[in-house]
Amino acid sequence: FEAEVEVLQVGAEKAVAEVASRLGLKPGARVLVRRRRYLADGSPIEVATSYIPWAIASGTAMTKENPGPGGIYARLEEVGHRLARFTEEVSSRMPTPEEARLLRLHGGVPVFALVRTAFDSDGTAVEVCDTVMAADRFVLDYELPAR
């Protein structure tokens, strides 16, 4: 299939309480917001919104529509935040009207809501990515080590 990414938003905002908490910031702290819509063969399949502490993102290519090769993770590492681990929380729900419009969902189609937090080698949360995925277009397939 042909993959495409549409950048919907790049800019600074005040973090909502849940995002601020996940990033270890005070509610209302400034964060960089990067919102994208992913398409497969022209059909939207997910909308992802990344939140990065402004203190980390300010003055970097992360604030540009195209952050360059390797994306924001490469830029995070360039400014000294070596990525060490990620946590993911997956749930399912019905979409908001905006999500249904952006994903072109038919009535009754749920979404997966996946919230990933990226941590650097110091244990600092450096990004929260809130991804909403059309549930009828994905299979979540995980392999986990036994130990």
Side-chain angles (χ1 to χ4, degrees), residues 61-147:
M62 286 182 270
T63 63
K64 308 278 190 239
E65 186 171 314
N66 180 352
I72 62 170
Y73 289 155
R75 304 299 77 80
L76 283 164
E77 294 211 343
E78 287 172 358
V79 295
H81 294 279
R82 191 173 68 78
L83 297 173
R85 67 183 180 92
F86 300 88
T87 62
E88 288 189 347
E89 184 178 289
V90 182
S91 60
S92 61
R93 59 176 171 77
M94 295 309 294
T96 67
E98 181 187 19
E99 292 165 348
R101 180 183 62 77
L102 284 170
L103 294 171
R104 296 186 205 139
L105 297 176
H106 299 289
V109 175
V111 293
F112 290 120
L114 186 151
V115 180
R116 181 182 61 241
T117 305
F119 295 87
D120 68 12
S121 56
D122 293 330
T124 302
V126 295
E127 182 226 17
V128 168
C129 186
D130 185 353
T131 303
V132 177
M133 307 157 65
D136 63 342
R137 299 173 204 155
F138 280 91
V139 172
L140 301 181
D141 183 11
Y142 290 90
E143 180 176 322
L144 304 170
R147 301 179 209 269

Side-chain angles (χ1 to χ4, degrees), residues 4-78:
E4 183 183 350
V5 179
E6 294 177 349
V7 177
L8 304 175
Q9 173 189 358
V10 177
E13 285 186 10
K14 291 181 178 181
V16 297
E18 181 184 348
V19 168
S21 175
R22 288 177 186 269
L23 289 171
L25 303 172
K26 293 181 180 174
R30 199 168 186 205
V31 292
L32 173 65
V33 177
R34 297 186 53 84
R35 191 165 192 224
R36 293 101 46 218
R37 179 167 67 166
Y38 293 82
L39 300 98
D41 293 330
S43 178
I45 57 172
E46 71 180 43
V47 175
T49 307
S50 290
Y51 303 91
I52 301 136
W54 188 251
I56 294 172
S58 178
T60 73
M62 286 182 270
T63 63
K64 308 278 190 239
E65 186 171 314
N66 180 352
I72 62 170
Y73 289 155
R75 304 299 77 80
L76 283 164
E77 294 211 343
E78 287 172 358

